[in-house]
Amino acid sequence: MSYPYQINSLEAYYKAYRKSVEEPEVFWAEIAEHFNWYKKPKQILNWNFIEPKVTWFNDVKLNITENCLDRWAESQPDTPAIIWESNHPNEAHRIITYRELLHKVNLFSQVLKNNGVQKGDRICIYMPMVPELAIAMLSCARVGAIHSVVFGGFSAQSIADRIHDASCKLVITADGAFRGNKIIDLKNTIDDALVQCKSVEKVIVLTRTREPISMIKGRDIWWEDEIEKIEANGYPFFIPEVMDAEDPLFILYTSGSTGKPKGVVHSCAGYMVYTNYTFVNVFQYQHGDVFFCTADAGWITGHSYIVYGPLSAGATSLMFEGIPTFPDAGRFWDIVEKFQVNILYTAPTAIRSLMSFGTGFVDAKNLSSLKVLGTVGEPINEEAWHWYDTHIGKNKCPIVDTWWQTETGGIMISNLAGITPAKPSYATLPLPGIQTLLLDENGIPLKGSDASIEELPHEMASGNLCIKFPWPSILRTTYGDHERCKLTYFSTYPNLYFTGDGCLRDTEGNYRITGRVDDVLNVSGHRIGTAELENAINQHSGVIESAIVGYPHDVKGQGIYAYVIYQGNLEDKKLVAADINQTVTRIIGAIAKPDKIQFVSGLPKTRSGKIMRRILRKIAEGESENLGDISTLLDPEIVQAIVGERI
Ligand code: WTA
């Protein structure tokens, strides 16, 4: 069974796109009819990109969990909402139906309420990939609290910064997490973080690894005990909090080119409509399909395409606790076979990593249930694309290459599986509602980049990718600092949302994302701000200065190359590099550790003291000769010295 707003032909795509541009309010109002509102929308859109201020469906009242749970618990109570596969292949999987999920969310919502949580409170979630993570998110939404999920790979310091920034009142965590053959001490890390966080009153701890942990009287409580207390009083139905369209749903921190990570804020109604619409259309989801998104719920992909998009569409979302290579590199394919997965959505870095193990782990597996494949998070190289197509899709599954960002909430540019054409390494065409524009550095729109998508052929264009019209799940602000939101996204080019990505548009209007044009790296699909990383490295006592650049990495897409000026004993460079890595792990988390650290006596700087990263990037890429104009450097000699000691 399909959805009434599902695009089912190329003509229908063009028609939908045209309508979304010509009559955007009518277009989105019609889609919004397929949701449960306490009060239906009349005001569809208000916006300006100057302040910026965007509201969608401003006069509605809703609770997103009614759309994700109650309506499906009524119409299809026994359909699995979440299928969960453990990190350990021998541990039993779990299937949670819509009826059960609603029940669990009702219970945990009551737990939150009993612990003083009210509408608008901020809740930090730091949990393993278990269904309770989704239950925690949904319960926050049901109570009207704003969740801030922090990825399990971040350090105590990073968590503390995030808790502090949003003044979180409560933390939901677990004793530990299983990841491959490792155990990650989540609760201990939270304990370290909380030394600095006075706003947190309670910590709810789920049992997962049952490692020894400290439970502080009056602050720390077990998830299971709290649930038991409520169950003792019979079946609770938790009446969802009535929310306004623009009430914040969640905060998710993401790295930018300057300073500390910022809390991207998404609001209830627009985010719900857009994640649902894109889920249904990009993947061409049909009722009953099993959808497997391999992302961690700590990132936007998990928020939008494990939890809110699929569940608001009554879909079956498969959640996997572990990693693709444990116990061996066939784990994804075992899961596909075991649960007859129909749609698989993963990252190019995972594909490249699995590719390197050869096809031995794939060939014996029955992958015939697969209908659609997807990728997200970074550009996919043609080799990985073809491997995915041939060995996983057996040349019969359309691959959707989905471009989007934490800030966009949902997929922005992508082919629609089997409906609009794919082109390897291209995200292809914008989705209905997404009005793209390419500009040069001076803010001049590139010729051909503003043409209607139907006027072919186009002139080729390559520039900075902007969006000129709001879509329902555009970020609303950066938490606690609206000015920063304005400066980061809406000031580079007046009246436009600037993505920070470079992009090429071919003669057929297909978009190919070429990568970030700001100082943000994309390492294994994770965003890492070079300034943030340099700040972390500079905190090591012996470091005088550092400069971070990205370089091409076979598996990670981009690797992290650090140039470090170090004062002190460098006899054992390996040890000093390990010390620096330890510092980074403490301050940001292990995900930000540099792949290479080169100790240098100086950095190429202009006379005004600006580091010429362009040169450092070329050196890291292996270039020795064509380093460009170095005559404006304060000390041109330094360049050859760095080249000479490259690692
Ligand atoms: C990059 C992840 C090429 C891009 C959903 C963007 C991509 C950043 C693609 C956002 C893709 C994401 N092709 N590049 N299909 N998808 N990116 O916020 O540089 O973690 O700006 O959101 O990832 O990363 P974020």
Side-chain angles (χ1 to χ4, degrees):
M1 203 176 82
S2 58
Y3 295 78
Y5 45 92
Q6 204 159 33
I7 294 166
N8 53 16
S9 67
L10 188 59
E11 298 71 55
Y13 160 74
Y14 281 122
K15 197 168 155 216
Y17 190 87
R18 208 179 307 129
K19 182 160 176 178
S20 78
V21 173
E22 286 164 7
E23 299 176 285
E25 300 201 29
V26 177
F27 178 80
W28 288 110
E30 282 173 11
I31 291 159
E33 278 172 21
H34 302 278
F35 295 83
N36 281 6
W37 310 105
Y38 301 131
K39 186 171 164 246
K40 296 221 177 236
K42 288 213 176 65
Q43 298 169 21
I44 304 304
L45 170 65
N46 280 299
W47 71 288
N48 74 70
F49 275 175
I50 303 296
E51 286 176 69
K53 185 164 171 60
V54 178
T55 67
W56 279 96
F57 317 112
N58 199 19
D59 58 341
V60 295
K61 301 277 181 198
L62 79 154
N63 189 291
I64 193 169
T65 68
E66 277 217 322
N67 288 276
C68 290
L69 300 171
D70 303 62
R71 61 169 167 164
W72 305 113
E74 202 178 305
S75 65
Q76 47 170 52
D78 299 319
T79 299
I82 295 178
I83 299 178
W84 176 77
E85 170 74 2
S86 161
N87 178 66
H88 307 298
N90 299 329
E91 183 180 355
H93 65 268
R94 293 167 65 187
I95 294 181
I96 302 175
T97 65
Y98 273 94
R99 189 202 340 246
E100 289 162 345
L101 189 60
L102 172 61
H103 180 54
K104 286 175 188 296
V105 170
N106 275 327
L107 284 170
F108 196 69
S109 299
Q110 192 63 48
V111 169
L112 292 178
K113 188 106 192 223
N114 289 359
N115 283 288
V117 174
Q118 291 175 347
K119 179 176 173 180
D121 285 344
R122 276 80 57 209
I123 312 284
C124 172
I125 301 181
Y126 187 66
M127 289 181 81
M129 281 286 287
V130 291
E132 282 71 18
L133 167 53
I135 292 166
M137 292 164 74
L138 290 161
S139 300
C140 287
R142 197 153 179 98
V143 178
I146 303 164
H147 58 69
S148 162
V149 182
V150 178
F151 173 62
F154 281 115
S155 69
Q157 182 63 53
S158 293
I159 301 167
D161 289 345
R162 287 159 171 77
I163 288 179
H164 188 72
D165 187 71
S167 308
C168 292
K169 180 171 179 180
L170 188 138
V171 174
I172 309 171
T173 187
D175 43 7
F178 295 115
R179 244 182 99 70
N181 51 19
K182 287 199 210 121
I183 289 183
I184 318 281
D185 295 332
L186 298 180
K187 176 61 165 62
N188 284 342
T189 308
I190 288 291
D191 288 341
D192 289 345
L194 292 192
V195 171
Q196 308 175 39
C197 302
K198 299 288 162 266
S199 62
V200 174
E201 295 164 13
K202 288 270 166 66
V203 180
I204 303 180
V205 186
L206 178 83
T207 309
R208 178 65 189 127
T209 53
R210 206 48 197 97
E211 291 297 285
I213 56 168
S214 99
M215 291 291 283
I216 304 291
K217 193 180 294 165
R219 189 194 71 184
D220 300 349
I221 48 182
W222 288 104
W223 174 298
E224 295 80 6
D225 291 350
E226 293 299 296
I227 296 281
E228 236 171 61
K229 277 192 227 159
I230 291 158
E231 272 178 330
N233 297 328
Y235 182 94
F237 178 80
F238 190 96
I239 299 168
E241 185 72 32
V242 177
M243 305 295 283
D244 286 327
E246 290 299 331
D247 281 336
L249 174 64
F250 65 83
I251 305 171
L252 187 58
Y253 285 85
T254 189
S255 294
S257 50
T258 52
K260 288 202 181 275
K262 41 193 177 301
V264 168
V265 176
H266 283 289
S267 61
C268 294
Y271 176 80
M272 171 179 79
V273 169
Y274 195 73
T275 52
N276 177 297
Y277 179 78
T278 50
F279 170 73
V280 160
N281 280 296
V282 170
F283 301 103
Q284 290 290 304
Y285 186 86
Q286 307 289 310
H287 277 289
D289 284 348
V290 176
F291 179 80
F292 178 18
C293 166
T294 71
D296 191 285
W299 308 112
I300 191 69
T301 307
H303 282 60
S304 301
Y305 299 106
I306 293 178
V307 182
Y308 291 110
L311 297 182
S312 69
T316 298
S317 180
L318 196 156
M319 191 176 186
F320 172 44
E321 184 186 34
I323 54 171
T325 49
F326 178 79
D328 63 39
R331 192 67 196 279
F332 277 0
W333 324 127
D334 289 334
I335 296 174
V336 168
E337 185 172 314
K338 178 170 172 187
F339 298 105
Q340 298 284 293
V341 170
N342 304 109
I343 305 168
L344 173 69
Y345 190 31
T346 194
T349 186
I351 299 167
R352 287 191 300 263
S353 147
L354 296 175
M355 239 169 90
S356 69
F357 290 87
T359 56
F361 290 101
V362 187
D363 293 341
K365 310 287 158 67
N366 181 353
L367 305 181
S368 59
S369 58
L370 286 173
K371 296 192 296 193
V372 172
L373 302 175
T375 72
V376 58
E378 46 175 325
I380 180 162
N381 47 316
E382 291 204 30
E383 193 192 354
W385 195 98
H386 286 295
W387 190 87
Y388 201 29
D389 186 35
T390 309
H391 297 286
I392 308 306
K394 315 289 180 201
N395 298 112
K396 68 172 179 60
C397 301
I399 297 177
V400 290
D401 177 350
T402 66
W403 173 84
W404 58 296
Q405 310 177 295
T406 305
E407 295 84 347
T408 70
I411 298 167
M412 302 284 281
I413 304 182
S414 172
N415 45 322
L416 309 180
I419 304 290
T420 63
K423 180 169 179 182
S425 81
Y426 281 73
T428 73
L429 300 172
L431 297 196
I434 308 307
Q435 301 187 33
T436 42
L437 187 62
L438 298 179
L439 293 99
D440 66 17
E441 298 90 75
N442 304 320
I444 311 294
L446 294 167
K447 221 173 143 204
S449 86
D450 202 13
S452 135
I453 58 166
E454 289 167 88
E455 280 168 33
L456 296 177
H458 295 300
E459 217 163 296
M460 280 269 247
S462 175
N464 291 345
L465 177 60
C466 290
I467 317 285
K468 60 182 176 187
F469 195 85
W471 61 102
S473 64
I474 184 173
L475 86 160
R476 299 305 198 260
T477 188
T478 47
Y479 192 82
D481 192 352
H482 193 64
E483 194 56 26
R484 192 160 175 212
C485 172
K486 177 178 172 170
L487 270 175
T488 313
Y489 306 106
F490 298 92
S491 300
T492 315
Y493 301 114
N495 249 322
L496 296 172
Y497 167 82
F498 176 43
T499 64
D501 278 321
C503 186
L504 180 124
R505 195 189 201 219
D506 75 4
T507 51
E508 285 152 346
N510 290 308
Y511 289 86
R512 176 190 192 157
I513 309 299
T514 46
R516 304 285 310 191
V517 293
D518 52 7
D519 289 323
V520 174
L521 306 185
N522 190 330
V523 180
S524 299
H526 301 152
R527 276 160 69 166
I528 295 180
T530 53
E532 194 194 350
L533 183 47
E534 286 164 8
N535 286 340
I537 292 179
N538 295 350
Q539 286 191 39
H540 182 77
S541 62
V543 172
I544 295 176
E545 198 177 5
S546 62
I548 299 292
V549 296
Y551 70 97
H553 187 289
D554 283 352
V555 173
K556 297 178 170 187
Q558 257 186 325
I560 304 175
Y561 199 114
Y563 297 91
V564 174
I565 306 177
Y566 189 82
Q567 181 188 45
N569 187 342
L570 264 181
E571 251 163 53
D572 190 345
K573 284 192 182 154
K574 258 199 174 144
L575 183 62
V576 177
D579 286 345
I580 290 173
N581 275 336
Q582 197 61 29
T583 311
V584 170
T585 305
R586 274 241 171 264
I587 294 171
I588 304 178
I591 52 166
K593 275 195 301 201
D595 298 277
K596 294 184 181 178
I597 297 180
Q598 178 179 352
F599 295 100
V600 294
S601 57
L603 291 166
K605 285 190 182 170
T606 60
R607 288 192 182 86
S608 59
K610 219 173 143 271
I611 298 174
M612 294 274 272
R613 283 166 204 282
R614 171 175 59 75
I615 295 174
L616 292 175
R617 236 175 264 132
K618 288 211 159 149
I619 297 174
E621 282 165 10
E623 189 70 59
S624 304
E625 305 295 324
N626 303 317
L627 298 171
D629 180 15
I630 57 169
S631 63
T632 57
L633 291 179
L634 194 59
D635 174 15
E637 309 273 281
I638 197 71
V639 173
Q640 274 321 310
I642 298 176
V643 170
E645 294 189 358
R646 175 171 49 210
I647 29 179

